[in-house]
Amino acid sequence: MEEQAMEKEQRWKSLRLRGLRQRWIFNSILPIGTLLVLVVTLFSAGVSNYYYGTMQKGLETRAQALANSFNEYFMDNGFSSYYQKAVQSAESFEDKNRIELQFIGSSGRIQVSTSGLTAGTYPGTDDILQVLQENKMTPTPYQGRDLETGEEILAVSCPLTVNGRVVGVMRLVTSLRSVDRQVMFVVLAIFLIALVCMLLVVFSNLLFINNVVEPVAVVTEAAKRISAGSYGTRIENKYSDELGELVDNINDMSLKISQNEKMKSEFISSVSHELRTPLTAINGWGETILEDDLTDDPEQLRRGIRVIVNESRRLSTMVEELLDFSKMEDGRFTLQIEDVDLQAELEDAIFTYQELFRQDGIALEYHPGDGDLLPPIRGDSERLKQVFCNVLDNAAKHGGAGRRITASVGQESGCQVVRIRDYGPGIPEEELPFVKQKFYKGTSRARGSGIGLAVCDEIIGLHGGTFSIGNADGGGAVVTIKLPVRA
C-alpha cells in the first residue's frame, strides 16, 4: 500500500510539472510562434510580389516598346505587309530562348510565333480578349496557367493598330518556372531561419522552465515533508536568484517551526508540571485538614491554609497568562485606554510584593526618581499593573539569589521610564535575544510557563512603548519599560 501511495504521489507530481510546462509553453512559445508565422507569411508575400512585380514591369516595358516600334514602322503602310513583317520580327527576336514573341490575329489565333509549337493555336487568355474585344490600348498582363501546355506563364499583350483600329495583338510570353523556383528558394530560406529561431526559443524556454520546475519540485517536496511533521528539514541552496531567496525563506521557516514546536513541547511539559505541583500541594493539604484534627495545632492549620492560598494564587496567575496568550494568538488582546497614574500603579505593585518578598528574605527597594509627580499617561491601568507584577515576580524567581530587587520610575526624553533590577546571576548573553519569545525558558530551572515576558512585551507594545531586558553593570538583570507621554 505504501509503495502504491508513493507511486501515485510521484505520478501526480509529474502531471503537475507537465501542466506547468504546458502552461509555460502555451503562454510564451505560442505567441512567439504565431508572430514568427505571421512574419514569415508577410515576408514571403512581399518577396513573391517583388519578384513577380519586377518581372511583369520589365515585360510590360519591353512589350510596349516592341509594339510601338512595330506600329510605327510596319503598320503605317497598311495591313498588307503585316504578316511578312511579323515573320521577320519573330526571326530577328534576340531573346527567343527566354521569351516567346507571338503575333495574334483578330480572331485570337496565333499567326506567328518564335516557337513554332504554338502557331495556329488559340490561347484564349484574358489579356488577348481584353485587347481584341475591349480595344484596350495599353499593355495588358496575364499571369496564370497556359491553357495549351498547362504551364504557369506571365504574358503581356499589346494592340497592333491600323488607323486607330485594333487588327491584331503582339504578345510576349515567358515561363514562371525559374522565378517560381527562385521565390520558393527564398521562402524556404526564410522558413528555415524562422524554424531555427523557433527551435532556439523552444530550447531556451524548455531549459529555463526545467531550471524553474526542478527547484520548485524540490521545494514542493520539502514543503510536504515539513507539513507532514518533519520540522527542521533544510533544502540545499544552489541558487543565487529569487529561487535562492525562496529556498532561504523556506529553510528559515522550517527552522523557526522546529524551534516553535520544540518550545511548545517544552511549554506543555512545563505547564503540566507547573499545574501538577500546586494541585498536589492543594490536594495534599486539603486532605490533611479534612482528615486530621489540627485544632490543637493552629500554627500547622494556618500553614496549610497559607500553602493552599499561595498555590491557588499561582494557579490563577498561570491561568490568566494562558488566557492572555490565547487572546494574543487570535488577535483578541485589547486595552481599555484611560488616563493612568503610572507611578501609582507601580507603587501598588511594589506594596503588594514587598511583604511577600520580605518573607522570602528578598529586599524590594523603591526609588521614585526626583520626587516630582509624574503626569498621567494614556493606557490600561490593569494591564500595566499586570506587567509590573509579572516583572517583579520574575525578578524574584530568577534573581532572588541576590536577595535584593530595586525599582524606580522617572521621566526621560518625553517618556516615563520604569526600571526593575535584580542582583542575581543575570542572563547568559546567548539567551538575551530570546528571553521575550513565547515558551522560551532557556537554561533557567525556575518555575513558570515561559509566556509571562511575551505577554508583557505585547502589552507594552500595544501602548506604543518598549520593553527591553538586559544585564546590569555589576551583576543581575534589569528590565526597562518606556512609555510615551501623550498630550
Side-chain angles (χ1 to χ4, degrees), residues 259-275 318-319 321-323 325-326 329 437-441 448-452 455:
Q259 292 173 344
N260 285 337
E261 286 299 313
K262 182 180 179 182
M263 285 191 292
K264 280 186 178 181
S265 298
E266 293 175 352
F267 165 74
I268 293 172
S269 176
S270 174
V271 167
S272 299
H273 176 73
E274 293 293 331
L275 291 173
M318 291 181 62
V319 170
E321 286 183 351
L322 291 173
L323 288 174
F325 174 71
S326 175
E329 289 293 286
Q437 290 183 2
K438 53 183 178 292
F439 311 136
Y440 187 81
K441 297 183 68 175
S449 62
I451 59 176
V455 172

Side-chain angles (χ1 to χ4, degrees), residues 338-355:
E338 58 184 358
D339 287 337
V340 177
D341 187 340
L342 188 68
Q343 185 172 356
E345 296 300 332
L346 176 63
E347 290 173 354
D348 284 348
I350 290 173
F351 178 78
T352 301
Y353 278 89
Q354 228 165 10
E355 180 60 24

Side-chain angles (χ1 to χ4, degrees), residues 111-414:
Q111 297 172 321
V112 178
S113 172
T114 53
S115 172
L117 298 176
T118 59
T121 61
Y122 291 86
T125 56
D126 292 340
D127 56 322
I128 299 174
L129 297 177
Q130 288 181 26
V131 173
L132 293 177
Q133 296 178 7
E134 301 177 12
N135 291 324
K136 191 173 182 179
M137 304 304 291
T138 57
T140 305
Y142 170 77
Q143 182 177 335
R145 190 176 298 278
D146 191 323
L147 300 180
E148 293 291 334
T149 63
E151 184 181 9
E152 291 291 327
I153 61 169
L154 175 64
V156 176
S157 297
C158 294
L160 299 177
T161 61
V162 174
N163 298 324
R165 183 171 60 88
V166 176
V167 296
V169 176
M170 190 188 73
R171 187 174 184 239
L172 293 181
V173 183
T174 184
S175 173
L176 292 177
R177 184 181 304 163
S178 60
V179 72
D180 284 344
R181 189 182 301 114
Q182 194 168 2
V183 169
M184 185 62 68
F185 176 78
V186 174
V187 170
L188 181 62
I190 296 170
F191 175 77
L192 290 177
I193 292 173
L195 182 62
V196 170
C197 292
M198 191 63 192
L199 290 175
L200 288 175
V201 170
V202 171
F203 177 76
S204 61
N205 273 270
L206 287 178
L207 186 63
F208 177 75
I209 191 61
N210 285 335
N211 288 336
V212 171
V213 167
E214 290 178 5
V216 168
V218 173
V219 170
T220 302
E221 189 63 30
K224 284 182 179 180
R225 293 198 299 271
I226 293 172
S227 65
S230 298
Y231 307 124
T233 299
R234 295 185 61 81
I235 308 171
E236 182 183 359
N237 193 350
K238 300 180 292 185
Y239 317 101
S240 58
D241 49 14
E242 290 81 358
L243 285 172
E245 185 177 351
L246 174 62
V247 170
D248 285 338
N249 290 333
I250 290 180
N251 287 337
D252 185 53
M253 176 193 71
S254 177
L255 178 61
K256 288 182 178 178
I257 291 176
S258 176
Q259 292 173 344
N260 285 337
E261 286 299 313
K262 182 180 179 182
M263 285 191 292
K264 280 186 178 181
S265 298
E266 293 175 352
F267 165 74
I268 293 172
S269 176
S270 174
V271 167
S272 299
H273 176 73
E274 293 293 331
L275 291 173
R276 188 188 305 111
T277 301
L279 286 174
T280 300
I282 292 171
N283 186 56
W285 275 104
E287 290 178 353
T288 299
I289 293 173
L290 286 174
E291 295 175 2
D292 297 342
D293 186 5
L294 298 181
T295 55
D296 296 333
D297 192 355
E299 182 64 28
Q300 187 74 355
L301 179 62
R302 283 195 299 273
R303 180 184 176 188
I305 294 174
R306 186 183 304 112
V307 169
I308 292 175
V309 171
N310 290 337
E311 295 302 325
S312 298
R313 185 182 294 117
R314 278 186 57 205
L315 283 175
S316 297
T317 301
M318 291 181 62
V319 170
E320 287 296 326
E321 286 183 351
L322 291 173
L323 288 174
D324 288 341
F325 174 71
S326 175
K327 291 178 181 179
M328 285 170 51
E329 289 293 286
D330 58 20
R332 293 183 294 112
F333 196 88
T334 57
L335 302 177
Q336 301 296 324
I337 301 298
E338 58 184 358
D339 287 337
V340 177
D341 187 340
L342 188 68
Q343 185 172 356
E345 296 300 332
L346 176 63
E347 290 173 354
D348 284 348
I350 290 173
F351 178 78
T352 301
Y353 278 89
Q354 228 165 10
E355 180 60 24
L356 293 175
F357 288 173
R358 187 186 63 79
Q359 294 176 7
D360 294 333
I362 301 173
L364 176 55
E365 302 173 4
Y366 170 59
H367 305 285
D370 297 332
D372 297 333
L373 292 177
L374 298 176
I377 64 171
R378 300 290 292 172
D380 187 325
S381 58
E382 292 297 325
R383 292 296 185 186
L384 290 174
K385 187 174 180 180
Q386 177 185 348
V387 171
F388 300 147
C389 291
N390 195 303
V391 173
L392 287 170
D393 185 61
N394 205 61
K397 285 192 296 185
H398 298 280
R403 298 300 174 188
R404 180 186 174 198
I405 297 173
T406 60
S408 66
V409 62
Q411 186 159 323
E412 302 175 5
S413 303

